[in-house]
Amino acid sequence: MSLLGHPLLLILAIPLAGGVLVACTGRWPNLREAVTLVASVLLFLVAYRLMEEIGSGGRPGLVLIEVLPGLPIALEGEPLGALFGCIASGLWIVNSLYSIGYMRGNNEHKQTRFYICFTIAIASAMGIAFAGNMFTLFLFYEMLSLSTYPLVAHKENEEAKIGARVYIGLLLGTSIGFQLVAIIWTWVAAGTLDFEPGGILRDAVPPAILPILLALYMFGIGKAALMPFHRWLPSAMVAPTPVSALLHAVAVVKAGVFTVLKVVIYIFGIDLLAETGASNWLVWVASFTLVTASLVAMTKDNLKARLAYSTVSQLAYIVLAAALASGLGVLGGALHIASHAVGKITLFMCAGAIYVATHKTEISDMKGLGRAMPFTFGAFCIGSLSIIGLPPLAGGLSKWYLSLAAAESGLVIAVLVYMASALLNVAYLMPVVVLGFFGRPDGAPADWQHEPVRLPWLCVLPPCITAVLCLYLFVDGDSVIALLLPLME
Amino acid sequence: MAFLDHVAILQVAVPLLAAPLCVMLPGRHLPWALTLAVSWFTLVCSIVLLAEVSAGGSIAYHLGNWPPPIGIEYRVDAINALVLLVVSGISAVALPYARRSVEHEIEPDRHGLFYTAYLLCLTGLLGVTITGDAFNIFVFLEISSLSTYVLVAAGARLDRRALSAAYTYLVLGTVGATFFVLGVGLLYMVTGTLNIADLAERLPPLAESRVVQAAFAFVVAGMGLKLAMFPLHTWLPNAYAYAPSLVTVFLAATATKVSVYVLLRFVYTVFGHEFAFIEPVLAWLVLPLAVIAMLAGSVVAIHQDNLKRMFAWSSIAQIGYMMLGLALASASGLTATVLHLFNHALMKGALFMALGGVMLRIGAVSLASVRGLASEMPWTFAALVIGGLSLIGVPGTVGFVSKWYLILAAIEKGWWLLALLIVAASLLAVIYVWKLVEAAYLQPAPQDRERVRDMPPDMLIPLWVLALANIWFGIDAGLTTSVAGTVVNAFLGGGS
Amino acid sequence: MPEAITEHYNYWLVIFLLMAGLFVTITSGNLVKKIVGLNVFQTAVFLFYISLAKLEGGTAPILTGEPERFSNPLPHVLILTAIVVGVATTALGLALVVRIRETYGSIEEAGLQEADRQDELRAAAEQGR
């Protein structure tokens, strides 16, 4: 296969080329958005083909360039990355449709810059998904932080400035402050940064030191939003909703937990962690984050803030699964990456649709709104149920495996936390649906009560599509599990 | 090939001879054109030299065919070929940029004189780097320094503080050079030679001599002043802040690097780091000072309003990185220092060029004056951001490569605290770079400022050459790391 | 101990001049006096070089054929260069002082610093508006 047509190269080149074309066609909005759509569809096709190839046992690899002696920028496909890449690129298509509706419906400024940064962010996410070693992953990780900064600061007002400052400060701070040190330490100890099944640290680092190295990684991966470094995620909610939807429910945060899983599986190795118990402390930190974030979410009246804390809590599910250091846990975590992605993007797109239609952001102002926007609130309901973990929706499947893993590990705390948090999920997500459909608005009647809500159809259709995807992922769960099975070995 | 035989001397002689010629040239364009041609010529020379020695050999050139110890010898190996490349390369890139910037900042009738001083400065820096004779280093150092004082003072047309800055620089620079020459005299007293290669041979048996130790102290203190090692840095911020833009670009990228090179040369070639009295000096004096410079320089940079001074303080911090690598005295540490010599020149060159563009358009470079400017000068500020990211050490930029080796060196020694301090200094860089980013991109432009255009292409292209070099050598560091590897082998392999 | 002083009196002289020069350079508030201090400081180094080349009973290094003791000429030559450098530095320093006097109206360091501080404040006030 020639280098130019190599799917791993295409997976980076398509979004980047899309970005260049968007920059060139910025003057003609229709053309510009067509370019974004075409790029996203092409990217998904390539990612899907890669997933098929990897599913049938292939492990495509590509070395782009050797940066330092022994440290190349290398790409390699493996099941976890294929799944993440496929989810992110697939949801990019839906989100691009939604962006068009949202950005135009809201008359946002500097839309060209918005679309360019978006393509760079997607390219970075793809780079993370298909990184062949920790160095490459770190490169794209930082690229993702930087390319999303202009998106978070998009509104360019005081609030956006401060939110974006927290965002970039925490992400760069943790990644340079801890992760980079951990990576160089690994390099010194193991002499390599390649992702190897079974890990590279066995015999390289004394077992007593492993928890410290693991802590540097876990807190260094700020995108996984482990407390106390979770503040950037709520801060990022000042961004336009499509950004929150795709980046802060899918690409960025999932890049974080994806990196966590990669580090646990391919740097440390599940067996090594299980034997030494180096990840036991992480169970407690993740559990704490999980429960605390859920409790905080219940107190938030701002819908996007509530969703953000919900995301923090759901990410902790995956970190907790990784901390269990078992095959089942990894499988459950990987599944939850997929299922939470489709569920949460649905919720965010609904929140955005509500904002475009009524400019309402507070949950207490949405009483009765569901009757005026049945499709939006219907999709919200399905997304919520999926995140709560109700079969036959995607969340049901992933939470089933997560609970199995917890039970298998014999850690009572993990089982308890998973059970309690499902209840907490109900407590902070369902009120939105219930108030929306059955609540009575207080105070003066709002516009949407006496005249029909005007909403671009491009804001309504995408959440409905992802709601259907929630269902599909459950029905077709077998094939996803089949793809991920090699991880358990 | 006559050219190839004499390329070492042509490197220095051509700019030296061009300087008096330049005084006689009339008008504004001819002096500039001559300087440009000379800079490009020196760049060609240094590329030829680097190509010849990058494999590990060295070139010796005897001036007037007098063999050393009688004659002066020019000796080129990997490290000074690299520094030559930095000096001539930055000069070659900066000169196309210089024309408009100098027209804007220097009195029209003084361009010939300005470029003469510039050529002399270039001569001096190249000479210091290429010569293999300790006293010759002093002579060239003073040629470059004296012309630098003039160049800094030339900024007085825009801001009179350039004069007091130049004066301070003159006093401290002269003290530094005099210390250095005193050290060289002591060395001559005990060894009877000034040739660096001979010194290196004759010194080891004299390691216990008090005179040799005193000589080392004088050389380190003298060079410490010249390279602005904390706490001998006081001349630097104002000199960089008030010098004309071209001068800041050139000085920030090259002058301190050349002094770092001299120190490297003395510590590792002339004395040899295995000298019993050098190790504690490195570990207990240079290293702590480097760490303080790294942190204090960054903290002060955060509190600056004048952007040129902000990046000048950042230079003090970055010099701390170089001194740290030097003091660690390990292969990774030295690699970091050598790489950072090159990489920091790229970063600061790009940053100060961009600021020069801002100076050209709005006449001031403070945080307040660049508010909202990014949308009017998008290309300039995009390059500024790249330079800033490189300064932070974001992967994919040159700054990351040098930081990688520096942290590697600290971890290899098991000095965890040091690794964390290096990282902390990077995070401080995030703060001051981001203050600039926020001001330029996220704040509204002041009402009373007229909208301006971006820099003209002849200034943008050099800027972007440097900005892209920041990325290029950050992604493909093969060339720089292999040269650094050769250098480190020569430094560490010889004695131990 | 006394021999340490008498035999090496030239070095003691050099050290005294060095310190005196440096002291004046650092402590004097007058820019011209600073330059003078710098001159003394540099001259000390010249003396150091010249005196280390001197041999007891040595003459100028003119080869007359007879075996003779003569002084090492190299340091003398070096110091010729260094003197040139010193003169250039002094000239440049004084030229700068002249310019400073023209623009600041003072050659006292204190006055200069005060003026620079005022400039700073004025610049800050202009941008603040």
Side-chain angles (χ1 to χ4, degrees), chain B residues 93-105 353-362 376-381 383 452-465:
Chain B
V93 177
L95 270 157
Y97 165 95
R99 193 173 59 89
R100 278 174 202 269
S101 176
V102 171
E103 271 176 15
H104 176 247
E105 295 177 10
M353 265 193 194
L355 290 182
V358 175
M359 199 77 182
L360 178 78
R361 286 301 187 221
I362 63 171
E376 294 163 41
M377 302 177 72
W379 289 100
T380 308
F381 276 87
V452 294
R453 281 171 299 124
D454 211 334
M455 285 205 278
D458 54 348
M459 291 172 80
L460 266 184
I461 292 170
L463 170 63
W464 272 88
V465 166

Side-chain angles (χ1 to χ4, degrees), chain A residues 104-453:
Chain A
R104 291 190 178 185
N106 255 351
N107 282 326
E108 294 278 351
H109 71 146
K110 295 189 179 164
Q111 294 194 16
T112 305
R113 183 180 77 186
F114 172 86
Y115 285 109
I116 295 174
C117 291
F118 223 110
T119 54
I120 301 175
I122 292 291
S124 320
M126 293 297 129
I128 292 174
F130 292 99
N133 56 38
M134 197 61 210
F135 175 72
T136 313
L137 199 154
F138 185 63
L139 175 79
F140 286 110
Y141 182 98
E142 297 291 46
M143 211 168 116
L144 185 57
S145 308
L146 293 169
S147 61
T148 47
Y149 172 79
L151 294 172
V152 175
H154 185 82
K155 286 201 177 115
E156 299 190 1
N157 54 20
E158 197 59 24
E159 190 198 357
K161 198 173 81 182
I162 289 168
R165 192 186 288 170
V166 173
Y167 179 76
I168 198 75
L170 271 177
L171 287 186
L172 276 186
T174 51
S175 64
I176 295 179
F178 305 125
Q179 197 185 345
L180 179 61
V181 177
I183 291 173
I184 298 181
W185 187 358
T186 309
W187 167 253
V188 173
T192 175
L193 287 177
D194 291 346
F195 291 129
E196 305 259 359
I200 53 175
L201 285 175
R202 187 173 286 276
D203 301 330
V205 175
I209 305 289
L210 275 178
I212 301 175
L213 183 56
L214 185 70
L216 280 177
Y217 269 115
M218 292 302 129
F219 290 114
I221 303 168
K223 290 195 169 84
L226 212 51
M227 281 185 180
F229 298 111
H230 66 287
R231 276 288 316 159
W232 63 269
L233 188 53
S235 297
M237 292 304 141
V238 297
T241 306
V243 176
S244 310
L246 186 59
L247 297 177
H248 301 122
V250 183
V252 175
V253 289
K254 292 303 168 339
V257 282
F258 171 77
T259 311
V260 166
L261 286 179
K262 279 280 232 194
V263 166
V264 165
I265 300 173
Y266 295 109
I267 298 282
F268 285 86
I270 304 171
D271 295 341
L272 181 65
L273 287 182
E275 284 162 27
T276 57
S279 59
N280 288 351
W281 64 271
L282 187 59
V283 172
W284 293 93
V285 175
S287 301
F288 174 79
T289 307
L290 209 167
V291 175
T292 315
S294 297
L295 291 173
V296 174
M298 289 168 65
T299 68
K300 295 286 172 189
D301 191 33
N302 181 305
L303 181 54
K304 277 176 82 178
R306 183 176 289 195
L307 293 180
Y309 274 101
S310 155
T311 305
V312 174
S313 138
Q314 299 291 324
L315 294 176
Y317 267 79
I318 302 169
V319 179
L320 178 53
L324 294 175
S326 67
L328 263 181
V330 167
L331 177 66
L335 277 175
H336 203 58
I337 287 186
S339 71
H340 176 246
V342 285
K344 195 45 82 47
I345 196 173
T346 310
L347 301 190
F348 269 113
M349 289 200 285
C350 292
I354 294 168
Y355 179 72
V356 172
T358 65
H359 282 267
K360 292 277 182 270
T361 55
E362 307 303 305
I363 295 164
S364 50
D365 293 340
M366 293 175 193
K367 288 173 187 160
L369 188 56
R371 292 194 293 276
M373 305 174 69
F375 283 104
T376 307
F377 272 77
F380 193 95
C381 181
I382 295 176
S384 302
L385 291 175
S386 172
I387 287 180
I388 291 166
L390 231 58
L393 295 166
L397 189 67
S398 57
K399 290 206 173 174
W400 168 257
Y401 278 98
L402 288 173
S403 309
L404 265 187
E408 184 201 55
S409 73
L411 284 170
V412 183
I413 168 87
V415 180
L416 279 179
V417 163
Y418 277 141
M419 279 165 55
S421 74
L423 294 177
L424 289 171
N425 290 346
V426 176
Y428 64 73
L429 284 175
M430 289 325 282
V432 183
V433 180
V434 173
L435 282 179
F437 278 122
F438 306 113
R440 296 245 164 270
D442 25 51
D447 293 345
W448 43 266
Q449 277 174 281
H450 36 80
E451 55 185 282
V453 170

Side-chain angles (χ1 to χ4, degrees), chain B residues 134-148:
Chain B
F135 196 83
N136 211 221
I137 288 182
F138 163 74
V139 175
F140 277 121
L141 200 61
E142 282 306 81
I143 291 179
S144 76
S145 298
L146 284 167
S147 43
T148 305

Side-chain angles (χ1 to χ4, degrees), chain A residues 65-69 71 73 110 113 135 138-139 142-143 146 149 153 156-157 160-162 164-165 168-169 172-174 176-178 180-181 183-185 187-188 193 216, chain B residues 339 375 389 392-397 400-401 403-405 407-409 411-412 416 419-420 423 426-427 430 434 437-438 441-444 472-478 481:
Chain A
I65 192 167
E66 185 148 279
V67 177
L68 296 171
L71 270 187
I73 296 183
K110 295 189 179 164
R113 183 180 77 186
F135 175 72
F138 185 63
L139 175 79
E142 297 291 46
M143 211 168 116
L146 293 169
Y149 172 79
E156 299 190 1
N157 54 20
K161 198 173 81 182
I162 289 168
R165 192 186 288 170
I168 198 75
L172 276 186
T174 51
I176 295 179
F178 305 125
L180 179 61
V181 177
I183 291 173
I184 298 181
W185 187 358
W187 167 253
V188 173
L193 287 177
L216 280 177
Chain B
L339 284 174
S375 57
L389 293 179
I392 296 170
V394 171
T397 60
F400 178 74
V401 178
K403 215 148 281 180
W404 172 274
Y405 276 103
I407 300 176
L408 194 64
I411 294 185
E412 276 173 352
W416 291 101
L420 291 179
V423 164
S426 305
L427 294 180
V430 175
W434 235 262
V437 169
E438 280 186 0
Y441 282 89
L442 298 183
Q443 293 200 349
W472 176 267
F473 289 105
I475 289 181
D476 182 9
T481 44

Side-chain angles (χ1 to χ4, degrees), chain A residues 93-105:
Chain A
I93 306 177
V94 185
N95 196 68
S96 300
L97 290 171
Y98 180 74
S99 302
I100 299 169
Y102 181 92
M103 299 301 278
R104 291 190 178 185

